[in-house]
Amino acid sequence: MKRREFLLSGLGLGIVLSSQFSCKKGNSFQVKFADDYASRGHLLREPKFNKPSTTFKENILIIGAGISGLSAGRRLKKSGINDFKILELAKESGGNSISGKNSISNYPWAAHYLPIPDERDSELISFLKECNVITGINHENKLEYNEQFLCFDPEERLYINGHWQEGLVPHSGIEETDHKEIKSFFELIQFYKNAKGNDGKDAFCIPIKNSSNDSEFTKLDEINFYSFMQSKGYRSKYLFWYLDYCCRDDFGSSIQDSSAWAGIHYFASRKGKAANAESGDVLTWPEGNAFLANGLKSIIKEHLICNQLVYSIEEKNEMIEVLIYDFDKEESINYQCKHVILSGPQYINKRILKQSKKEELYNKFTYSPWMVANISLHQLYTNKGIPLCWDNVIYGSQSLGYVNACQQHLNLHENEKVITYYYPLSKGQPKQERELAYKRTEDDWKKIILADLKIAHPNIEESIKEIEIKLWGHGMIRPIPGLIKGDEIKEMRKPLNDRIYFANSDITGISIFEEAFHSGIDAADLCLENLSKNA
Amino acid sequence: MVDFEKEEEIKKQEINIHLLLLLAVFVVATCGLIYELVAGTVASYLLGDSVTQFSTIIGAYLFSMGIGSYLSKFFNKHLIAWFVQIEITVGLIGGFSSSILFLMFDHVESFRFLLYALVGLTGILVGLEIPLLMRILEKKYEFKELVSKVFTFDYIGALLASVVFPLFLIPYLGLLKTSFLFGLFNIAVAWVLCLKFKEEIAWIQSLKIAAIISFLLLATGFAFSERIMNFAESMAFQDKIIFAKSSPYQRIVLTKNPREYRLFLNGNLQFSSSDEYRYHEALVHPALEFLSNKKNILILGGGDGLAVREVLKHQEVEKIILVDLDAEMTRLFKSNSMLTALNEKSLSSKKLQIINEDAFLWLKKNKQEFDCIIIDFPDPSNYSIGKLYSNSFYRLVYQSLSDSGMCVIQSTSPYVARKSFWCIDTTLQSVGFNTQAYHAYIPSFGEWGYMMALKNRNYILPDSFRKDLRFLNEETLKQLFIFPKDMQKVPAEVNKLNNQVLVHYFEEEWANYQ
């Protein structure tokens, strides 16, 4: 109401109108890029570091403090191991699960939710207990989740045919034949959700490693999701839009670039059960998965060193020589270690491993670039339909819409909000999209974001206070046909000489929290096995 | 030949100019009446009592026109230039009149003055128009012709205005756009006259610039009238508004009629002074008369201090904490003499501590234990308020109660929103409370419901009941617990943060009712 009083105190209508005019011209707000570590990574292209002057000895070195690295560290720690370090390139741990903060709210920079996990996933369940996400077990032996973290209602809405409908599956104003196809698709999914392979395992499971290897299902990895749907006779453009949206949401790749196995996995693998939640429900926090990353970090924080760029890993007789550049001390350091867990993505490993794996293996690994923007604003008006939800998607848009970072706030009145806008650059080839993305200025991005949001919010520009932008050059591994069930990925997971281990979601094929979490545990377990052998 | 043609030409031009001036009379008359109607409508919207408003507005307007007509004799030279100038001014003032009135409505004390000042000013200017025009035309027509023509057009314009105003303008354009549109018509007349009489007007350039600027201002106003309307809503009150203020959280409006005060928050009735004692006695005393331990009381919501007033009737109470988000509410009910008369200065009690914070966040960090928690939140009409009726919130309430403690919750109408009411019951039970529902009849609200929630025991009727109340006594208390068939318990889900079923129930039930 300050504005109103201001208007009245002057009573000069000229003032009213000139201020209205200035709105029309464009509310001026800041658009800026958030911290970016790509330039640090680019130093690896032509490493020019001084010779290390210091040498440290370390039993185990974990390289990378994303979810998989932190999870590997947690596993070691819980197994009584204390002589290890975790080195991280960025100024903080978390990888794809980092977050930002301003006066309005915390907000995610990438990963921002976790579906209710499968009850059989005991590792994840016990971690969620550690961080008070699971609070207990009810009399029927079902897990009770902390309701502050279960996504608050209303959860999802889609802007379609000029208004906001409830839920993301198109239903408002579409034809009967589309309804039928959509219904039939979900029946098909129900089949895959219950299906088991000839090895007795679930056809689709999280983590992927627990899924069946029955060729009946694994052959779905050989074709793309689009062809699969076509071959099943589906034609509805609304259904195809929705599936494409889902692929871009979870993989950053389009329906044509994603394998059918991956596409079905998205729908058929979420089997969580709980006393107070359904399998489709999600856990979320204002800061997104940074909540989980911080839960992992709290266990290993005395082992974590940030601002460390690893530029060379070389096996030398008894020891592995790891050379790093310390951005804090501005010097190179030589680590002599017995075991290394490489928890960074493979395109980085390829550059830093002196005895790297075969070149052609790496070609299978492609990554989708992303742009994520956190937008602070005064008000977000809904003209028609369902009010602001947690997830808000615009039908037909290249973006994934936006998530209300303030959804889990408990307080009654909020005059300001932060929304997190997700934009996977999935249209062209990753390399070209990536190059194009890095060339765009703040103003280019601002135009792209506003043009998209104005479809559903014509006046949004007037309420914006600030836009902060982050580019993820290699945001997610793309589960292209043949990746998840192919030979390359198996080869890539294998340790080198029982002392260099690999942990990352990219060697599972899908970039989600659960995969990274388990990948870290698996690498740590292999390492622990060899430690006990040597002892 | 040439001379004849020239003469014809001049004659033609003369006729055109006469027609033009008469057209101006028509437009000017229409605009004049529209401004009058706009002022009358705004006044009856905002101040109520449309008969009084309309007749005083029309009276004041006609009288001001009389003043205008009288003043017209002081204009001796440059008649057309003056006329153009008056057109521009009347267009600006008339065009913005309704916006100014809506926007100024906050400042209630001065509102009537402003209203009549605007009506008077417009009236004077409109009153000047016709006499001036007649004098411009006086040399061009015979007197009887002139009077007949001018007044014919004048009254046709008036008829047109009075017909289109209620049938088309108000329903399709709304008040603000209508004023702006007719303001633009006045400016258009000024502009056309500027072009036609460019030789006769001395200060033509400045008039033209003034016309353009005014045109732009009015056009912008027209384009943004929705926005202006959003600044100035609140037209839906029957009674006289004696206080209106927007806090960062809500719009507080207090209205008065000879019988009562009414408090509205965001347009929703909170209480009427004529029967609020029924609501607040029923909210507070059934619980406090039952409790033997009642030293520490927490009140959530209820910034009007009326629940506090009732609580203070219990001498055993040592400390009351009132948590209400809106500091403007508690300030108002602590300082305004009319309102402190109503709450008996309860907000200034030494036993009371006022905390202006969000109830959920405050309760989450609270470490104190209370013997009774009284919850007086608005109805769960949206997702934000729905959180304050969730099982997560009630768990915090549970933790903040002493072992023998209890809470009582205003729970909307069990008659209108039966499922919503019983949903609150189910939700309280789901976190371990023993509950007891009851209801009271509040004439301004209808049947109203409350829910008591106890730890470890059931509610029983107190052995004796205080006798100093206006609504409740031992006999009437018993009646509160009897639920007629059409309000008895129905099954409902537990209201949670991640399903917000209560908001869905509530929306459905009240939508059906209205």
Side-chain angles (χ1 to χ4, degrees), chain A residues 1 3-5 7-8 11 13-14 16-17 20-21 23-24 147-148 150-155 166 275-277 281 386-388 406-415 459 462, chain B residues 96 100 102-104 106-107 216-217 220-221 224 227-228 231-233 245-251 325 358 360-361 364 383-385 387-388 391-392 395 496-500 504:
Chain A
M1 269 308 118
R3 184 170 174 190
R4 183 176 190 170
E5 278 160 16
L7 296 183
L8 294 174
L11 226 172
L13 288 154
V16 183
L17 294 160
Q20 300 280 27
F21 267 124
C23 283
K24 195 82 185 172
E147 286 176 2
Q148 241 182 72
L150 285 170
C151 180
F152 293 178
D153 193 58
E155 212 167 307
E166 195 173 358
N276 53 355
D281 289 346
I386 303 291
L388 179 67
C406 305
Q407 181 78 0
Q408 303 300 104
H409 286 191
L410 290 170
N411 47 332
L412 188 59
H413 282 274
E414 285 189 311
N415 295 327
N459 299 326
E462 291 155 33
Chain B
F96 277 103
I100 295 171
F102 271 107
L103 288 172
M104 284 306 285
D106 247 9
H107 298 232
L216 289 176
L217 287 172
T220 318
F224 284 97
R227 202 90 54 85
I228 296 172
F231 275 130
E233 74 322 343
K245 175 136 190 162
S246 290
S247 77
Y249 308 107
Q250 56 200 345
R251 181 148 176 91
L325 180 61
D358 185 88
F360 210 133
L361 298 182
K364 203 167 167 232
Y383 292 113
S384 296
I385 303 175
K387 293 176 190 172
L388 297 172
N391 59 347
S392 299
R395 257 185 225 120
K496 300 175 185 178
L497 292 170
N498 62 327
N499 68 11
Q500 294 258 19
H504 295 281

Side-chain angles (χ1 to χ4, degrees), chain B residues 269-286:
Chain B
L269 177 64
Q270 299 303 300
F271 69 73
S272 151
S273 61
S274 67
D275 61 12
E276 58 77 21
Y277 66 92
R278 278 184 166 231
Y279 175 87
H280 290 103
E281 283 183 13
L283 176 69
V284 171
H285 299 297

